Amino acid sequence: MRPHFSSCFSIVSLVAVSLLASPDSAAAAKTFRWKMNRGDRFQVEMTQKVKQIITVGDRTVEVPNDMLMQMTWLVDSADDESFNMTQTFDRIKMTMKIPGAGDIEYDSASTEEPTGTTKTIADMLKPMVGAKFSQSMNVRGKVLDVKIPAEALKGFDANPLMKQFFAGDSMKEMMSKASPVLPDEAIDKGYRWQNKAETKTPVGTMTIDSTYVYDGEEQRGGRVLDKFSVSSTLGFADEPAGPLGAKIKVSEQENLGTMYFDAAAGRFVENRVSQKFTLEVTVGTSSVNQKMESTVEMTVKPAP
């Protein structure tokens, strides 16, 4: 940004400063692309901390829920336009406090056999561990296709709504929100662009309007990374949807995040998104007020 100068500056000073601030000395616009090669392998870790506050009539309950997912990405093929990779869930850990059911903790890495309510959670999540998901993406980050093996969804046989959410295009849409579709052209600091996505959920179609801003380069962890900020707005269709005919309204929300891209390596290496929103869910004459706060962090590192 050019500084503002008062009229007391001499013409010589103005000329000197204008030369220093000329376009030749400004940071050059950058083009961002994913760079993947066949055989590349990455370790991906995602943590999610969620707090739900549910109010039904005069009763309010709080349900905290933490999840850890560790994955391996293996690039199967790549060219100048796109790449295909296999994602394997190596570990899933979940902790939850449910009123009346006590503490629940499931860790796929544990050798202890789960019991009670924990076993119910384990039966749903365990088939996903070791399952291989295939995903194709172009070099701008647009998800082209996601394929999920049937055995990975076996744990949701008793819950058709959840199975529907993870199957078909829903998973593709969910993966698409993990990182933005990068601009086609070279961009400067301050560049802003938008993306709108729709996701079919068990309770209706959810829309997400996201605005991305390029914040420029930043020294982080001993290397130069490019920082992007994101803000999103959630919404649901006005008409009742789902098997229960639920109508959902987002009464208040704040969804902000930061993403760091390694231009030299050609990939996002660190993402953090925080969400706060309140849902008013109406089914017939009954209504439920649900507040949710969540923080999702994801890191991507080359595998040894």
Side-chain angles (χ1 to χ4, degrees):
M1 179 180 295
R2 292 174 182 265
H4 177 74
F5 301 101
S6 64
S7 57
C8 64
F9 272 45
S10 67
I11 295 178
V12 174
S13 298
L14 285 172
V15 171
V17 174
S18 66
L19 288 174
L20 289 173
S22 65
D24 289 337
S25 62
K30 298 180 71 172
T31 301
F32 296 97
R33 294 290 184 270
W34 285 75
K35 302 174 185 176
M36 291 291 189
N37 299 298
R38 181 184 177 187
D40 286 348
R41 187 186 294 267
F42 303 95
Q43 291 178 332
V44 182
E45 182 169 293
M46 184 172 72
T47 59
Q48 181 180 37
K49 295 183 179 294
V50 179
K51 181 173 72 173
Q52 299 182 65
I53 302 175
I54 303 172
T55 302
V56 182
D58 297 331
R59 186 185 179 198
T60 298
V61 295
E62 183 174 316
V63 183
N65 174 15
D66 294 348
M67 178 173 279
L68 165 70
M69 290 190 289
Q70 294 175 335
M71 297 168 281
T72 298
W73 289 357
L74 175 62
V75 181
D76 302 308
S77 62
D79 56 33
D80 293 337
E81 299 296 329
S82 63
F83 55 93
N84 300 285
M85 64 181 178
T86 298
Q87 303 181 58
T88 305
F89 283 89
D90 302 316
R91 181 188 180 193
I92 300 178
K93 180 181 179 181
M94 174 185 283
T95 58
M96 182 184 301
K97 292 185 178 181
I98 301 179
D103 295 350
I104 296 174
E105 181 171 335
Y106 167 70
D107 189 347
S108 64
S110 174
T111 57
E112 295 184 9
E113 196 67 26
T115 59
T117 308
T118 301
K119 185 178 185 307
T120 303
I121 301 296
D123 289 343
M124 286 194 297
L125 298 178
K126 192 173 182 179
M128 296 180 66
V129 180
K132 298 183 183 299
F133 296 59
S134 63
Q135 176 176 320
S136 59
M137 180 187 295
N138 69 15
V139 293
R140 288 178 56 205
K142 180 179 176 60
V143 176
L144 305 176
D145 191 26
V146 175
K147 294 180 180 179
I148 306 173
E151 59 267 22
L153 300 175
K154 191 171 182 60
F156 299 108
D157 284 346
N159 192 331
L161 291 179
M162 290 301 296
K163 190 169 186 177
Q164 177 186 351
F165 180 68
F166 282 99
D169 292 336
S170 297
M171 194 67 174
K172 176 183 174 182
E173 293 164 356
M174 187 166 63
M175 292 289 192
S176 298
K177 295 190 288 291
S179 63
V181 177
L182 297 165
D184 187 36
E185 67 274 21
I187 62 175
D188 295 296
K189 182 179 179 180
Y191 183 89
R192 179 185 302 261
W193 75 101
Q194 293 180 304
N195 181 57
K196 184 175 182 178
E198 289 188 351
T199 300
K200 295 180 180 179
T201 75
V203 291
T205 300
M206 179 176 66
T207 60
I208 303 179
D209 292 318
S210 301
T211 299
Y212 300 94
V213 180
Y214 174 45
D215 296 326
E217 295 180 347
E218 182 178 307
Q219 285 280 349
R220 191 172 180 84
R223 55 182 171 174
V224 178
L225 299 177
D226 292 279
K227 181 182 177 182
F228 295 88
S229 297
V230 57
S231 59
S232 301
T233 302
L234 309 180
F236 284 86
D238 291 333
E239 68 277 2
L244 299 178
K247 185 175 181 179
I248 301 178
K249 178 183 177 182
V250 184
S251 58
E252 56 184 14
Q253 59 181 302
E254 182 183 62
N255 311 302
L256 304 171
T258 54
M259 302 178 175
Y260 290 93
F261 191 85
D262 188 332
R267 66 177 182 275
F268 281 95
V269 296
E270 183 182 342
N271 296 346
R272 187 179 192 276
V273 178
S274 298
Q275 293 183 310
K276 295 180 181 179
F277 55 86
T278 301
L279 302 179
E280 297 176 3
V281 184
T282 303
V283 180
T285 58
S286 302
S287 62
V288 176
N289 186 282
Q290 179 177 349
K291 292 185 178 180
M292 181 174 290
E293 299 178 6
S294 70
T295 301
V296 179
E297 297 182 350
M298 185 172 74
T299 58
V300 182
K301 301 177 181 178

